[in-house]
Short mmCIF file of all heavy atoms in Angstrom, two decimals:
data_model
loop_
_atom_site.label_atom_id
_atom_site.label_comp_id
_atom_site.label_asym_id
_atom_site.label_seq_id
_atom_site.Cartn_x
_atom_site.Cartn_y
_atom_site.Cartn_z
N PRO E 112 -7.91 12.63 -3.05
CA PRO E 112 -7.72 11.96 -4.34
C PRO E 112 -7.36 12.93 -5.49
O PRO E 112 -6.77 12.49 -6.55
CB PRO E 112 -9.10 11.34 -4.57
CG PRO E 112 -10.06 12.05 -3.68
CD PRO E 112 -9.27 12.51 -2.49
N GLU E 113 -7.72 14.24 -5.37
CA GLU E 113 -7.34 15.20 -6.38
C GLU E 113 -5.80 15.39 -6.38
O GLU E 113 -5.28 15.64 -7.49
CB GLU E 113 -8.09 16.46 -6.19
CG GLU E 113 -9.64 16.35 -6.46
CD GLU E 113 -9.87 15.73 -7.83
OE1 GLU E 113 -9.24 16.08 -8.83
OE2 GLU E 113 -10.73 14.83 -7.84
N LEU E 115 -3.71 13.03 -5.65
CA LEU E 115 -3.26 11.85 -6.29
C LEU E 115 -3.42 11.94 -7.81
O LEU E 115 -2.51 11.63 -8.53
CB LEU E 115 -4.04 10.61 -5.81
CG LEU E 115 -3.84 9.28 -6.57
CD1 LEU E 115 -2.41 8.87 -6.45
CD2 LEU E 115 -4.86 8.22 -6.17
N ARG E 116 -4.50 12.47 -8.33
CA ARG E 116 -4.71 12.66 -9.73
C ARG E 116 -3.68 13.55 -10.36
O ARG E 116 -3.07 13.17 -11.39
CB ARG E 116 -6.12 13.26 -9.95
CG ARG E 116 -6.52 13.19 -11.43
CD ARG E 116 -7.75 14.12 -11.71
NE ARG E 116 -8.83 13.92 -10.80
CZ ARG E 116 -9.89 13.05 -11.01
NH1 ARG E 116 -9.89 12.31 -12.08
NH2 ARG E 116 -10.89 12.93 -10.09
N LEU E 119 -0.29 11.66 -10.42
CA LEU E 119 -0.20 10.70 -11.55
C LEU E 119 -0.08 11.34 -12.86
O LEU E 119 0.59 10.86 -13.77
CB LEU E 119 -1.54 9.79 -11.55
CG LEU E 119 -1.68 8.93 -10.30
CD1 LEU E 119 -3.06 8.26 -10.31
CD2 LEU E 119 -0.63 7.84 -10.14
N VAL E 151 -0.68 2.19 -7.65
CA VAL E 151 -1.29 2.92 -8.74
C VAL E 151 -0.18 3.45 -9.64
O VAL E 151 0.58 4.34 -9.25
CB VAL E 151 -2.20 4.12 -8.21
CG1 VAL E 151 -2.99 4.73 -9.31
CG2 VAL E 151 -3.08 3.63 -7.07
N ILE E 154 -2.04 6.87 -15.36
CA ILE E 154 -3.28 7.51 -15.58
C ILE E 154 -3.37 7.82 -17.08
O ILE E 154 -2.38 8.20 -17.63
CB ILE E 154 -3.48 8.68 -14.65
CG1 ILE E 154 -4.99 9.19 -14.73
CG2 ILE E 154 -2.55 9.81 -15.01
CD1 ILE E 154 -5.29 10.26 -13.59
N GLY E 158 -7.49 11.79 -17.55
CA GLY E 158 -7.34 12.14 -16.09
C GLY E 158 -8.23 11.30 -15.22
O GLY E 158 -8.37 11.64 -14.01
N GLU E 159 -8.87 10.30 -15.74
CA GLU E 159 -9.85 9.58 -14.99
C GLU E 159 -9.54 8.05 -14.94
O GLU E 159 -9.53 7.39 -13.86
CB GLU E 159 -11.25 9.78 -15.52
CG GLU E 159 -12.37 8.94 -14.81
CD GLU E 159 -12.55 9.29 -13.36
OE1 GLU E 159 -12.04 10.33 -12.91
OE2 GLU E 159 -13.12 8.43 -12.62
N HIS E 160 -9.16 7.48 -16.06
CA HIS E 160 -8.89 6.03 -16.16
C HIS E 160 -7.48 5.78 -15.65
O HIS E 160 -6.48 6.44 -16.15
CB HIS E 160 -9.07 5.52 -17.50
CG HIS E 160 -10.57 5.46 -17.94
ND1 HIS E 160 -11.24 6.53 -18.31
CD2 HIS E 160 -11.43 4.43 -17.83
CE1 HIS E 160 -12.50 6.25 -18.60
NE2 HIS E 160 -12.69 4.94 -18.27
N ILE E 161 -7.29 4.81 -14.73
CA ILE E 161 -5.99 4.55 -14.16
C ILE E 161 -5.60 3.03 -14.26
O ILE E 161 -6.44 2.22 -14.51
CB ILE E 161 -5.99 5.01 -12.63
CG1 ILE E 161 -7.09 4.22 -11.86
CG2 ILE E 161 -6.11 6.48 -12.45
CD1 ILE E 161 -7.07 4.49 -10.39
N THR E 191 -9.10 0.67 -14.02
CA THR E 191 -10.27 1.17 -13.35
C THR E 191 -10.33 2.69 -13.42
O THR E 191 -9.69 3.24 -14.29
CB THR E 191 -10.29 0.71 -11.85
OG1 THR E 191 -11.55 1.05 -11.34
CG2 THR E 191 -9.16 1.31 -11.04
N THR E 192 -11.07 3.36 -12.51
CA THR E 192 -11.17 4.77 -12.67
C THR E 192 -10.84 5.37 -11.32
O THR E 192 -10.90 4.78 -10.27
CB THR E 192 -12.57 5.27 -13.05
OG1 THR E 192 -13.51 4.81 -11.97
CG2 THR E 192 -13.02 4.57 -14.39
N MET E 193 -10.49 6.73 -11.37
CA MET E 193 -10.27 7.47 -10.13
C MET E 193 -11.48 7.43 -9.28
O MET E 193 -11.41 7.43 -8.00
CB MET E 193 -9.87 8.93 -10.50
CG MET E 193 -8.43 9.10 -10.88
SD MET E 193 -7.24 8.75 -9.54
CE MET E 193 -7.82 9.94 -8.36
N LYS E 194 -12.70 7.49 -9.83
CA LYS E 194 -13.90 7.52 -9.06
C LYS E 194 -14.04 6.28 -8.26
O LYS E 194 -14.34 6.29 -7.07
CB LYS E 194 -15.12 7.65 -9.99
CG LYS E 194 -16.46 7.71 -9.28
CD LYS E 194 -17.55 7.96 -10.19
CE LYS E 194 -18.93 7.94 -9.44
NZ LYS E 194 -20.07 8.17 -10.44
N VAL E 195 -13.78 5.08 -8.88
CA VAL E 195 -13.86 3.80 -8.19
C VAL E 195 -12.82 3.76 -7.07
O VAL E 195 -13.09 3.33 -5.91
CB VAL E 195 -13.68 2.64 -9.15
CG1 VAL E 195 -13.49 1.28 -8.46
CG2 VAL E 195 -14.84 2.54 -10.09
N LEU E 196 -11.61 4.14 -7.37
CA LEU E 196 -10.49 4.15 -6.43
C LEU E 196 -10.79 5.03 -5.19
O LEU E 196 -10.71 4.63 -4.03
CB LEU E 196 -9.23 4.48 -7.01
CG LEU E 196 -7.97 4.49 -6.16
CD1 LEU E 196 -7.58 3.02 -5.83
CD2 LEU E 196 -6.77 5.25 -6.72
N ALA E 197 -11.23 6.21 -5.49
CA ALA E 197 -11.45 7.17 -4.33
C ALA E 197 -12.58 6.73 -3.49
O ALA E 197 -12.47 6.78 -2.22
CB ALA E 197 -11.87 8.56 -4.99
N GLU E 198 -13.65 6.05 -4.00
CA GLU E 198 -14.72 5.56 -3.18
C GLU E 198 -14.23 4.34 -2.36
O GLU E 198 -14.60 4.15 -1.18
CB GLU E 198 -15.91 5.15 -4.08
CG GLU E 198 -17.03 4.57 -3.29
CD GLU E 198 -17.72 5.56 -2.39
OE1 GLU E 198 -17.46 6.79 -2.47
OE2 GLU E 198 -18.51 5.15 -1.46
#
Side-chain angles (χ1 to χ4, degrees):
E113 292 307 314
L115 171 64
R116 191 195 308 271
L119 295 172
V151 189
I154 193 167
E159 178 61 20
H160 290 82
I161 57 175
T191 187
T192 65
M193 281 293 301
K194 181 178 180 180
V195 168
L196 181 71
E198 181 63 17

